[in-house]
Amino acid sequence: MKIMIAPLKKGIAFLSFLVIFIIHSSFLTISGGKMNGSFLEETTEEARMRFEFLSLTNPFLHGWETHSFYTSKMTIYDSLKLDMAGLSRDAFAYGLKGLDRLILEGRAEKQHILSIIDFSQPSCQKRLYVIDLDSYSLLFHTWVAHGRNSGGEKANVFSNKPSSHKSSLGFYLTGDTYRGKHGYSLRLEGLEKGINDNALRRAIVVHGADYVNESMASRLGYIGRSQGCPAISKALYRPIIDNIKEGSCLFIYYPSEKYLESSPLLN
C-alpha cells in the first residue's frame, strides 16, 4: 500500500488540476472573457494559466508559457476558432514558438504575420493559414500543394535534398519576389540546418499553379503536386505573396517527432 500512495496522490493532484482548469476555461468563455466584436480577449494571466496546462501535455512547449509574446498571441487560436478551420493547436503553438525565437534573435522583419502550412491535413482540405497576429484576423485560408514525392493525398515523407521533389518541414523566412517560369513568385529561406536549409538551392518558392484549385479538390479528393514548392492557386497567389513577402515567418508543420526533437528553433 505504501508503494501505491505516491503515484495515487500525483494522479489525484493532476485530475484536480484538470477539473479546475476545465471549470476555469468554461467560466472564462461564458462570463470572464471580454468580447471585442467577434474576438474573445483574455488577460495575460488567464492566457498563462491556459497554456501552462497545454505545456503539461506537450513536452516540446515546456517553459514557453512564460513568454509574454507566446501567451498573448496563443489566445488568437480560440478567438479565430482556428480549430474549426482545421488548424492543429500544436501547429499554431509551434509556429508561435518559432516566430518568438526569430523575433528575439532579430531575424523576423514582419513580426505580425505568421503563415502555417498544416501537412497533417490531406491536400483536398484548405491547409494554408495566413494570420495577422496584430489585428487578430485570418487573412487567407486556402489550398496548398506538397511535393510529388512526399505522398499522394497526404504528405508524409520529407526531404532537404536537391532534386528529391519532396517538401521540407520547418521554419522559413520569406524573401523577395521575382518573375520566373511560374510567373510572379516568392523566394523562401530555410532556417533549419539539415531540415530545410537547401530551400534556396532547390528553388523552393511560393508560386501560383493551375493544379491547385477547389474544383480539383472537390472532384478528385486531392490537388496536384509540385516539385517541392508550396504552390497555391492562381486566384490567390498574388495577394498572398504581397502580404507575406520580405521577412515574415512561414512554418510547414507535420506531427513528426523526429522533426520536433531536432528542430533548432523549437529546442
Side-chain angles (χ1 to χ4, degrees), residues 14 39 48 66 71-72 120 170 197 233 242:
F14 177 77
F39 302 133
R48 183 189 64 77
T66 59
T71 55
S72 64
S120 68
D197 59 334
S233 76
D242 285 342

Side-chain angles (χ1 to χ4, degrees), residues 3 16 30 55 59 78 90 124 136 143 147 152 173 175 191 201 209 211 216 222 238 241 245 248 252:
I3 296 174
S16 299
I30 296 169
S55 71
D78 292 318
D90 279 349
C124 63
Y136 276 46
W143 293 272
L173 278 178
L191 303 178
R201 180 183 172 192
Y211 52 78
M216 182 177 289
Y222 57 85
R238 182 173 287 277
I241 287 175
K245 66 182 180 181
S248 74
I252 300 182

Side-chain angles (χ1 to χ4, degrees), residues 13-262:
F14 177 77
L15 288 174
S16 299
F17 177 83
L18 180 60
V19 170
I20 292 170
F21 173 78
I22 293 171
I23 293 172
H24 176 75
S25 298
S26 300
F27 176 74
L28 285 176
T29 302
I30 296 169
S31 61
K34 302 178 182 66
M35 296 302 295
N36 179 13
S38 62
F39 302 133
L40 175 64
E41 296 180 345
E42 288 181 314
T43 66
T44 300
E45 176 62 17
E46 290 165 349
R48 183 189 64 77
M49 292 179 65
R50 181 185 292 271
F51 295 106
E52 274 183 354
F53 175 78
L54 178 62
S55 71
L56 281 174
T57 59
N58 194 323
F60 298 106
L61 297 175
H62 283 176
W64 215 257
E65 66 277 3
T66 59
H67 289 228
S68 60
F69 173 87
Y70 175 82
T71 55
S72 64
K73 299 305 183 183
M74 265 305 294
T75 62
I76 293 172
Y77 184 86
D78 292 318
S79 297
L80 293 180
K81 297 181 173 60
L82 293 176
D83 57 336
M84 301 292 289
L87 179 61
S88 157
R89 182 181 288 271
D90 279 349
F92 186 71
Y94 294 137
L96 274 186
K97 183 175 179 180
L99 175 57
D100 197 357
R101 177 80 172 270
L102 293 175
I103 292 172
L104 289 171
E105 294 176 356
R107 301 169 74 184
E109 294 182 31
K110 280 187 176 176
Q111 301 178 2
H112 66 294
I113 297 293
L114 175 61
S115 303
I116 300 175
I117 296 174
D118 185 356
F119 277 158
S120 68
Q121 302 179 54
S123 68
C124 63
Q125 296 180 8
K126 296 180 179 181
R127 51 187 182 169
L128 168 62
Y129 305 79
V130 180
I131 304 161
D132 188 320
L133 301 174
D134 283 352
S135 66
Y136 276 46
S137 56
L138 181 59
L139 301 179
F140 300 97
H141 178 208
T142 189
W143 293 272
V144 60
H146 58 258
R148 68 189 186 201
N149 288 337
S150 279
E153 179 185 344
K154 291 187 71 173
N156 50 31
V157 182
F158 309 97
S159 176
N160 190 37
K161 295 180 180 179
S163 303
S164 66
H165 295 167
K166 295 178 182 178
S167 299
S168 300
L169 299 177
F171 290 90
Y172 299 77
L173 278 178
T174 60
D176 59 351
T177 61
Y178 70 99
R179 291 190 176 277
K181 64 180 181 179
H182 299 291
Y184 190 56
S185 305
L186 175 65
R187 291 187 175 90
L188 296 174
E189 177 189 359
L191 303 178
E192 303 195 86
K193 186 174 178 59
I195 297 172
N196 61 18
D197 59 334
N198 282 329
L200 289 173
R201 180 183 172 192
R202 295 177 61 201
I204 300 300
V205 301
V206 179
H207 65 80
D210 291 329
Y211 52 78
V212 180
N213 60 74
E214 182 177 5
S215 175
M216 182 177 289
S218 300
R219 188 175 73 256
L220 301 177
Y222 57 85
I223 59 173
R225 295 167 295 167
S226 68
Q227 293 185 343
C229 295
I232 52 183
S233 76
K234 284 288 187 71
L236 287 175
Y237 78 102
R238 182 173 287 277
I240 289 177
I241 287 175
D242 285 342
N243 272 272
I244 70 174
K245 66 182 180 181
E246 298 171 351
S248 74
C249 176
L250 168 67
F251 175 51
I252 300 182
Y253 169 76
Y254 182 78
S256 163
E257 286 202 13
K258 180 180 179 181
Y259 164 71
L260 294 172
E261 290 171 352
S262 60

